[in-house]
Amino acid sequence: MGTGTGTGSGVGVDSGTGSGTREGSPRWIGPYAVITALDRSSARIPVPERRYIARSADGDRTVLLGAPLPGADAGRFLAEADVSRYLLGPASWPVTELAAPGDSPWHARPYVPALPLPTALTVYGGPLPERTVRALGAALAETLLAVHGQSLAYAGLSPSAVVLRADGPRLTGFGAVRIAGPDGASRSGLPGLESGSLPPEQAAGGHPRPLGDVYALGATLAYAATGHTTPEREELPAALRTVIGRCLTRDPAARPEPAELLAELAPQPSQPSQPSQPSQPPQSPQSLQPSEQPHPSAPYSPYSPHPPYSPTVLDSAPPTPPASFLPPGWLPGRVIAALAHQSASVLAAELRLPPVPPVAAPAVPPMAAVPPIPAAPRQD
């Protein structure tokens, strides 16, 4: 049986929903003051890095800040963070700031309320609903498709690397496998690596490859659906047994590609009945009127059902299903409430500034004595 999750009812400061720092947490990392740790100190799932919610000294910027685990290769940590600034995909959360060369390593990205996947299971009280697992899997599969299209392997996907936001899941911990240990040496039991989601070939020291990410995705979805990264087949929801089981195959060649997983997990749009209309030949984008043609620079949400018509790195991939990956109600109400509580707590911490001492009014010097005005001489 794989690693499990607790089902406590409360979410304290350690989970990122409070407003103070855990004992032993640093007060400052780089230019940022730590508000709270994102991860629970009691979590049984290893975290890929130390993660904090922090704010700038002037109070203008709030960030999700990452720092390497004790004993990690600081240089490799910064190198992976630097590459992660250019990751594509709907669930990517690129780093925007890095420590200066020679300083203690850290990286930061703009803060948005987010819960680590293990915390979300604790808040919900157990495994997440199937609709949530499917939405999570579709978004992560499309992100892996984009990352692999950049000739990269994520090499860090695990339950703790996934955080849930109101606008969809996000991935952190890029390169955690490479940071934990070099190729050729066993990585089993190293800090930051969850054994159930570590592909067997990478645990033995093999070079991280894209199909290893598929194994890690299967373990992460298994965790979301059961609370364990290596559950028994019967523990998985019946509709997800086959797809998750194929991901967890020990032979990398037998695992499905991310595009196949995307087609399997993405919700399919309903097809309402339409009155019959005269058939017309399909129009190409070039034949549309200028007002009808999508603008190449139009803003695009990765979860939008209608992406703009412009070539991308994924043009060779199968088309994305037209429906959104995040159907209404994809995130349970308890998780949404926890996100709102975290946001309010962080805001309160930002507003809890030291009182400004009253400024005393400057003393007014006493007026100098004014000599009396001599009386005017009498004129008879």
Side-chain angles (χ1 to χ4, degrees):
M1 189 68 62
T3 308
T5 179
T7 56
S9 58
V11 182
V13 170
D14 296 347
S15 66
T17 58
S19 56
T21 54
R22 186 171 67 218
E23 183 177 354
S25 296
R27 298 296 305 182
W28 288 86
I29 298 180
Y32 293 103
V34 171
I35 297 174
T36 184
L38 181 70
D39 300 283
R40 297 172 59 92
S41 59
S42 59
R44 296 187 234 171
I45 297 289
V47 296
E49 60 194 13
R50 294 181 296 159
R51 298 182 293 196
Y52 305 98
I53 302 171
R55 66 165 180 250
S56 60
D58 58 11
D60 286 345
R61 298 188 314 281
T62 304
V63 299
L64 178 61
L65 192 147
L69 296 171
D73 184 334
R76 187 75 194 191
F77 174 85
L78 287 176
E80 297 290 344
D82 186 43
V83 174
S84 74
R85 294 188 298 161
Y86 308 101
L87 294 178
L88 301 175
S92 63
W93 197 355
V95 165
T96 56
E97 294 181 75
L98 292 171
D103 291 351
S104 297
W106 58 268
H107 61 64
R109 46 175 63 90
Y111 167 73
V112 175
L115 293 181
L117 183 58
T119 301
L121 265 70
T122 299
V123 168
Y124 185 67
L128 298 177
E130 182 180 329
R131 67 180 184 278
T132 303
V133 178
R134 283 187 171 276
L136 175 66
L140 295 181
E142 191 190 20
T143 300
L144 291 182
L145 186 62
V147 171
H148 297 169
Q150 295 176 275
S151 299
L152 297 170
Y154 199 89
L157 178 54
S158 69
S160 290
V162 176
V163 295
L164 300 184
R165 299 182 355 184
D167 61 347
R170 294 296 189 276
L171 268 175
T172 66
F174 176 75
V177 173
R178 294 183 287 261
I179 295 170
D183 295 348
S186 173
R187 297 186 177 98
S188 296
L190 293 182
L193 301 183
E194 200 281 313
S195 59
S197 53
L198 183 63
E201 64 274 14
Q202 294 179 18
H207 182 70
R209 300 188 183 280
L211 287 174
D213 292 339
V214 173
Y215 183 97
L217 174 59
T220 299
L221 297 182
Y223 177 84
T226 68
H228 307 286
T229 51
T230 55
E232 300 295 337
R233 178 178 172 84
E234 292 72 22
E235 296 180 77
L236 291 167
L240 297 174
R241 286 175 188 167
T242 300
V243 63
I244 292 179
R246 292 180 61 206
C247 292
L248 294 176
T249 302
R250 295 186 63 86
D251 179 9
R255 298 169 194 160
E257 294 286 344
E260 186 178 350
L261 294 175
L262 179 58
E264 181 83 18
L265 295 169
Q268 298 300 318
S270 58
Q271 300 292 341
S273 57
Q274 298 287 346
S276 60
Q277 297 182 5
S279 59
Q280 297 179 352
Q283 291 180 296
S284 66
Q286 291 77 10
S287 66
L288 298 176
Q289 296 299 319
S291 61
E292 298 175 318
Q293 293 192 25
H295 195 280
S297 61
Y300 168 51
S301 165
Y303 299 110
S304 170
H306 302 295
Y309 182 78
S310 58
T312 70
V313 73
L314 299 181
D315 278 345
S316 60
T320 301
S324 170
F325 295 157
L326 303 179
W330 80 276
L331 201 58
R334 293 182 184 178
V335 177
I336 295 175
L339 290 170
H341 176 64
Q342 182 193 89
S343 177
S345 299
V346 170
L347 179 61
E350 290 184 327
L351 298 178
R352 198 176 298 130
L353 301 175
V356 179
V359 178
V364 179
M367 294 183 63
V370 179
I373 300 174
R378 290 183 60 184
Q379 298 180 358
D380 295 330

